[in-house]
Amino acid sequence: MRTIIIIIFFVFVLFLSSTVINVPEDQPTIQEGINVAVDGDTVLVADGYYTGVFNRELTWDGNEKHIVVKSENGYENCFIDCQQSGRAFTFYDTNQDSTDVIEGFHISNGYVFYDTFGGGAICCYNASPKILNNRISNNVADECSGGGIFLFNSDSKIIGNSILNNTSDYSYFPGGVSGGGIYIFNGSSIIKDNIIMNNQVSYTDIESDARGGGIYAATSYYYPLAQIQIINNLIISNSAYSSWNGTTGGGIYINCYYDGSQIINNTVIGNHATVGSGIYCRRGQVSQNIIVDNSQEGLRCFWPNSTAIINHNNVQDNGQNYVNCPTGIGDTSWGFNINNTACDSCFNICEDPLFVSSLGEEYFLSQFEAGQNYQSSCVDAGFGSP
């Protein structure tokens, strides 16, 4: 009994010790709010526009403290304008973890040029903060990767964000860039419940390449436990552009050396690249996705008859639906799925998804239960067998 009382008292004291620091009421700028915060504190940013040197390149040392930096009323009301003079958040070897949070900001006009790393809006190198419910738009990584977000050796969770109109480009030197919206290399990041739209990765130098208009994700041989998960996102109208040669992965480019990566329950529409316009993957699991209307190829695997697990997807109306996929993928003469829709042996179908709009949002599936006159073949088709 005494032990329980001591534990409760400790938790109560810990709760009392955490503080909310209001910006600009308590501290005039976001960075000054971060500077006075201690472990467990929240820096709460009021509605308004935040510009200038103490409202960009924001950072703290995760070895000393773990804090939450968030807006008071969401990204519709709280703006960080980087004024094309750096990025909003920069973490280099600062060891943030999942208790560090960036939430509820509209981050725009970030600009980095030929940076050692990249990230027009947010850069995480050996740091893993949660990035939640932000709008990240119109940021540029010039001559480097990650137009919106750059993750390197990071386990960050990127959840519930709108990542729009960001650009990563390369023109002056042989090499290349990746990730118009998001760039990931190593680590076990989770990309979930985001809208990733109208981002672009491009190059104009003859010896360069461009990969991953929406998302670029890769792990190396030296990180066998790294597992990247891309789950339940809308990935729309992103592009990998070149004025010289081919480009790869308009929506998603994922090249994980080991099995374990997952691309699950995403809607991948209208993306452009010459190779793997919708999704380009090396291995791992590709399941329950809708991959339609991408310019050249819907789903391409890294090599012929890849070992990737590809099941319960709807891949339709792309230039080519499947390229280099395991034998039998795409052959819908095999049989029928749980909804009695023609499918291949892994229950992939090729049907019009019958998208409808509701309350100003697009890409809902038409279904009788919601009052539509037609039932999409995708409804409840992402699992099970007949």
Side-chain angles (χ1 to χ4, degrees):
M1 182 67 177
R2 178 172 177 168
T3 301
I4 294 172
I5 292 171
I6 291 171
I7 291 171
I8 293 171
F9 177 76
F10 174 77
V11 171
F12 181 68
V13 170
L14 185 66
F15 175 77
L16 287 179
S17 67
S18 63
T19 300
V20 174
I21 299 159
N22 292 282
V23 175
E25 182 179 348
D26 299 325
Q27 296 292 327
T29 66
I30 302 173
Q31 186 63 62
E32 287 169 295
I34 291 170
N35 291 346
V36 301
V38 299
D39 191 52
D41 284 356
T42 295
V43 178
L44 188 64
V45 183
D47 297 352
Y49 284 83
Y50 294 85
T51 62
V53 293
F54 293 107
N55 290 310
R56 59 175 180 259
E57 300 292 350
L58 303 168
T59 194
W60 62 92
D61 189 345
N63 298 299
E64 297 179 356
K65 61 188 178 186
H66 299 289
I67 64 174
V68 173
V69 181
K70 65 180 295 184
S71 70
E72 187 172 2
N73 294 303
Y75 70 73
E76 299 91 343
N77 303 288
C78 191
F79 302 83
I80 298 176
D81 184 345
C82 299
Q83 299 176 302
Q84 300 183 349
S85 298
R87 60 176 73 87
F89 290 87
T90 301
F91 302 110
Y92 288 165
D93 278 324
T94 48
N95 295 312
Q96 278 72 22
D97 63 23
S98 60
T99 61
D100 295 283
V101 179
I102 301 165
E103 182 173 6
F105 297 100
H106 185 165
I107 300 171
S108 64
N109 296 319
Y111 179 86
V112 293
F113 174 74
Y114 203 51
D115 192 273
T116 305
F117 302 105
I122 299 173
C123 175
C124 302
Y125 178 87
N126 290 335
S128 304
K130 283 183 181 177
I131 302 171
L132 307 178
N133 304 317
N134 302 282
R135 183 182 179 96
I136 298 170
S137 65
N138 299 297
N139 302 283
V140 176
D142 193 357
E143 311 298 326
C144 50
S145 295
I149 299 172
F150 179 97
L151 305 180
F152 192 101
N153 293 352
S154 172
D155 297 331
S156 280
K157 295 175 175 64
I158 301 174
I159 301 174
N161 303 277
S162 295
I163 301 171
L164 316 171
N165 305 310
N166 302 286
T167 302
S168 178
D169 57 36
Y170 204 85
S171 59
Y172 293 118
F173 309 99
V177 290
S178 304
I182 301 172
Y183 173 96
I184 305 168
F185 188 74
N186 290 333
S188 294
S189 300
I190 298 175
I191 313 301
K192 184 177 180 182
D193 298 335
N194 303 283
I195 299 172
I196 301 170
M197 185 167 66
N198 292 333
N199 302 284
Q200 178 175 286
V201 58
S202 65
Y203 73 86
T204 54
D205 186 89
I206 194 169
E207 297 181 38
S208 301
D209 58 15
R211 295 167 293 187
I215 301 171
Y216 172 93
T219 62
S220 73
Y221 172 83
Y222 300 101
Y223 287 79
L225 299 180
Q227 297 182 355
I228 295 169
Q229 299 177 64
I230 301 173
I231 302 171
N232 199 38
N233 303 281
L234 284 175
I235 301 172
I236 306 167
S237 300
N238 304 282
S239 62
Y241 169 79
S242 164
S243 60
W244 295 96
N245 297 309
T247 55
T248 308
I252 301 171
Y253 178 106
I254 185 164
N255 184 1
C256 295
Y257 194 89
Y258 296 93
D259 292 330
S261 65
Q262 295 181 319
I263 303 174
I264 298 176
N265 200 34
N266 301 280
T267 300
V268 182
I269 303 174
N271 300 282
H272 176 78
T274 53
V275 176
S277 311
I279 298 174
Y280 178 95
C281 70
R282 181 167 183 163
R283 48 165 52 95
Q285 182 181 5
V286 183
S287 299
Q288 303 175 45
N289 302 284
I290 299 173
I291 306 168
V292 298
D293 293 327
N294 299 286
S295 63
Q296 305 295 321
E297 301 171 348
L299 172 60
R300 173 185 276 263
C301 292
F302 190 76
W303 56 71
N305 293 319
S306 166
T307 59
I309 299 169
I310 300 171
N311 56 36
H312 295 96
N313 301 284
N314 183 28
V315 184
Q316 189 256 356
D317 203 23
N318 305 281
Q320 286 182 270
N321 287 331
Y322 298 98
V323 182
N324 287 349
C325 294
T327 300
I329 295 296
D331 180 7
T332 56
S333 66
W334 175 83
F336 298 90
N337 71 358
I338 197 169
N339 287 342
N340 202 34
T341 304
C343 67
D344 64 22
S345 59
C346 293
F347 305 105
N348 300 290
I349 64 175
C350 180
E351 300 288 332
D352 183 342
L354 298 179
F355 290 124
V356 294
S357 299
S358 177
L359 300 176
E361 301 290 338
E362 299 183 37
Y363 306 112
F364 290 94
L365 297 176
S366 178
Q367 49 189 304
F368 298 140
E369 187 176 345
Q372 280 89 37
N373 295 325
Y374 301 96
Q375 182 85 349
S376 169
S377 298
C378 299
V379 175
D380 295 331
F383 58 91
S385 57

